[in-house]
Amino acid sequence: MLTKRIIPCLDIKDGRTVKGVNFVNLRDAGDPVELAAQYAFENADELVFLDISATEQQRKTLAELVLKVAAAIDIPFTVGGGIRAVEDVSILLKNGADKVSINSAAVKRPALIDEVANHFGSQCLVVAIDAKQIDGQWKVHLVGGKVPTEIDLFDWAKEVEERGAGEILLTSMDHDGTKNGFANEALARLSTAVNIPIIASGGAGNTQHFIDTFTHGKADAALAASVFHFGEISVPDLKQQLKQQQIAVRI
Amino acid sequence: MVAIIDYDAGNVRSLQFALERLGVASVLTSDPEVIQAAEKVIFPGQGAAASAMKKLKQTGLDQLIPQLKQPVLGICLGMQLLCDTTEEGEVNGLGIIPGKVVRFSNKVKVPQMGWNTISNFQSPLFKQIKEDDFMYLVHSFYVPLCDATIAQSDYDGTYSVALQKDNFYGVQFHPEKSSKAGSQLLQNFLAL
């Protein structure tokens, strides 16, 4: 049976993890390679690296980091942040990334989705969507959720599926950072609107939130950052508890 | 020495790293002489079947691969291209393993993406791998159960997750991305 995926997310700047990490076993808490290896050891199902570097020089550092991560771990990982063209995707995949995640660049130029899917296949393309409710309507947001658009979340999700996205990563800006749970209503609606896998993101605070997003939210995978990095939830404990709730997980 | 067939069809870096971790030297090549001389051949693949077949034909690899005598391991699209035909783009594969590659129905999410259990092993390729162990899969098309099936999985019904005919082996999952069980499978292939 296909299992639900648990995905720790690492924010990267200039080749280092950005947010604080409080992991007892790490020698260097800022080293993404060491952190990635630790998560792989703990049976995390995938990893996402989100690059928030601003300069070209830092982006080259990212490509080098991807190579080091690929050498160190034997689980799949996705790299996102600042991807605007087929060439950006090419270097990341060549260095060993399994998937890339594109977000604002796809909203600004939707044909980028077709180009990447046609060139490398849908299997390596995650389209990340940041969304927020405005007057009861879910609207797509840009630049890490800061800039609202008029685009309806569900219309956009259908369009990215048609254009060749292999997966959707939905971050609810209303839930992100709250630790009050995932946006399960929107996630469940999204799961019926499209027929590609959905990764839930934003709002993880405790184990029950993961149980809820896999059941009520119908999510195929759940992503979180700080609850894992600060040891508030450990991946092995989380998976044991999901299993006790009859949710299929890889242990 | 292990030859990984280079026909510009997807990311092979992780496969090279996985072999490195096993202490095995590999070479990424499209040179027929190097491929023929290798002890083992790995035939990877990602992306669309039609463009992959086109590349194989352009380089003559479509003629070479069926003639290989050493153990060959097709991975993901590489496995599917060992078959007769595929619904994906309605193209002919290499015709080494009888069977047709078909698409998952819309009753399930397509692609299947993630870790699924594999079972019913019929080959030393799965030595020391536990029944219902997990492998990582990403695919929209699959091979139904058939005479060549040597392991199965379940998604939209049971299907072939590994195939074998003579010296040709194929796995739908990515052993290079499937943690310890995947590494064991690569080791088993290298020991054939």
Side-chain angles (χ1 to χ4, degrees), chain A residues 1-3 5 43 45-46 67 70-77 93-99 120-121 123 166-167 191 194-198 218 220 249-251, chain B residues 8 11-14 17 21 46-48 51 105-117 134 136-139 153-155 175-180 183:
Chain A
M1 189 176 185
L2 182 66
T3 56
R5 287 169 283 152
N43 270 352
D45 297 302
E46 281 184 37
L67 194 63
I73 67 171
D74 53 9
I75 60 168
F77 67 99
L93 295 182
K94 273 195 184 129
N95 279 10
D98 298 282
K99 301 184 245 185
F120 307 102
Q123 84 288 336
E167 193 165 34
S191 243
V194 298
N195 202 41
I196 54 178
I198 310 290
K218 298 182 184 165
D220 300 287
V249 285
R250 178 179 72 106
I251 288 182
Chain B
D8 191 27
N11 154 27
V12 291
R13 184 72 77 179
S14 297
F17 281 133
R21 283 192 287 267
Q46 269 178 358
S51 64
S105 81
N106 282 334
K107 283 183 279 181
V108 291
K109 292 211 176 163
V110 184
Q112 166 172 229
M113 189 167 305
W115 299 77
N116 202 336
T117 49
F134 298 92
Y136 182 78
L137 299 131
V138 187
H139 60 127
S153 189
D154 195 334
Y155 192 69
E176 74 279 18
K177 285 287 157 184
S178 295
S179 197
K180 287 192 195 73
S183 177

Side-chain angles (χ1 to χ4, degrees), chain A residues 11-14 18 50-55 58-59 80-81:
Chain A
D11 285 346
I12 304 295
K13 191 175 183 187
D14 206 12
V18 178
L50 195 59
D51 184 50
I52 56 171
S53 300
T55 68
Q58 287 174 324
R59 297 213 174 279

Side-chain angles (χ1 to χ4, degrees), chain A residues 24-36:
Chain A
V24 281
N25 300 333
L26 296 185
R27 279 172 292 133
D28 175 1
D31 178 8
V33 179
E34 205 181 337
L35 186 57

